[in-house]
């Protein structure tokens, strides 16, 4: 478990209330490194938690004489999670989310210098399309009808069903969700 800790004094109240995001990694997966980035604009102590993982991929190798063998090859993949600012933030919720999205994309794209792929999943609090050059909205790619991830009638601020949760990828093939 990689839990975000408060790195700024103004985040302490949010931390003490028990709010956090975390990234869970199966024991058998090799964690190369972990990071936490606090978004530069946030009224809700939001940030990006991510880990570089070393994941095995199976390769089928065929020799010139037709014999086949299997080998394990490893890829480094950065996996991230976050919960972007909600609409109740002090600034315009959409403006803040757009800034946080761009900040997270920049950080993860920079990680691609040392990694083969990146996956960013979480509650983006985003309604409508997300057209991000180079990145794939994986859920949309593998489902004919992605449908809502958030359902209405859950309280006063929850009036519209929407697909707020996203899985954004780069360097991942949507077919079978494998690392390219």
């Amino acid at each position: 478990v990689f839990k975000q800790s408060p790195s700024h004094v103004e985040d302490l109240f949010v931390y003490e209330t028990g709010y956090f995001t975390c990234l869970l990694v199966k024991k058998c997966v090799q964690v190369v490194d972990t990071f936490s980035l606090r978004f530069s604009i946030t009224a809700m102590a939001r940030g990006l938690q991510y880990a570089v993982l070393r994941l095995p991929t199976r390769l089928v190798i065929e020799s010139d004489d037709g014999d086949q063998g299997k080998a394990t090859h490893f890829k480094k993949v950065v996996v991230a999670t976050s919960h972007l600012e909600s609409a109740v933030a002090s600034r315009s919720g959409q403006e803040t989310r757009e800034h946080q999205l761009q900040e997270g994309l920049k950080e993860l794209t920079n990680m691609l210098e040392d990694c083969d792929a990146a996956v960013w999943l979480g509650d983006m609090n985003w309604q409508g399309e997300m057209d991000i050059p180079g990145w794939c909205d994986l859920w949309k790619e593998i489902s004919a009808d992605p449908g809502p991830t958030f359902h209405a009638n859950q309280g006063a601020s929850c009036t519209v069903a929407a697909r707020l949760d996203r899985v954004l990828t780069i360097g991942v093939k949507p077919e079978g969700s494998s690392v390219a």
Side-chain angles (χ1 to χ4, degrees):
V1 174
F2 176 51
K3 183 176 173 180
Q4 179 185 14
S5 298
S7 55
H8 293 76
V9 174
E10 60 268 25
D11 295 348
L12 194 55
F13 172 76
V14 174
Y15 185 75
E16 288 176 345
T17 63
Y19 171 82
F20 65 93
T21 56
C22 70
L23 188 60
L24 301 174
V25 180
K26 198 171 183 177
K27 273 181 135 178
C28 64
V29 174
Q30 181 184 359
V31 177
V32 177
D33 212 343
T34 60
F35 304 90
S36 182
L37 169 74
R38 181 187 193 272
F39 291 129
S40 60
I41 299 175
T42 179
M44 304 174 92
R46 302 298 167 97
L48 181 74
Q49 290 68 51
Y50 56 104
V52 175
L53 309 177
R54 188 170 179 256
L55 300 176
T57 59
R58 292 245 179 232
L59 301 175
V60 176
I61 303 166
E62 191 168 318
S63 66
D64 292 337
D65 60 6
D67 289 339
Q68 284 191 348
K70 292 184 181 178
T72 301
H73 179 71
F74 291 90
K75 300 252 184 180
K76 281 173 52 177
V77 178
V78 59
V79 178
T81 190
S82 64
H83 182 176
L84 299 186
E85 209 87 6
S86 298
V88 296
S90 59
R91 291 177 53 133
S92 159
Q94 185 64 26
E95 180 184 336
T96 301
R97 281 189 298 280
E98 287 174 8
H99 187 273
Q100 291 171 347
L101 179 68
Q102 292 306 315
E103 197 172 350
L105 289 170
K106 181 179 178 185
E107 182 77 9
L108 295 174
T109 300
N110 288 340
M111 293 295 297
L112 291 174
E113 291 178 13
D114 296 319
C115 296
D116 299 296
V119 178
W120 181 4
L121 55 136
D123 183 345
M124 304 289 182
N125 274 316
W126 203 279
Q127 294 188 32
E129 295 296 316
M130 290 182 94
D131 186 24
I132 304 165
W135 287 76
C136 170
D137 185 343
L138 190 60
W139 192 348
K140 183 179 171 185
E141 288 295 318
I142 63 175
S143 175
D145 178 20
T149 61
F150 176 83
H151 300 280
N153 305 320
Q154 302 293 316
S157 64
C158 310
T159 57
V160 178
R163 190 168 73 91
L164 303 180
D165 303 300
R166 306 293 172 118
V167 179
L168 305 175
T169 64
I170 189 166
V172 175
K173 293 181 197 174
E175 308 86 30
S177 303
S178 62
V179 176

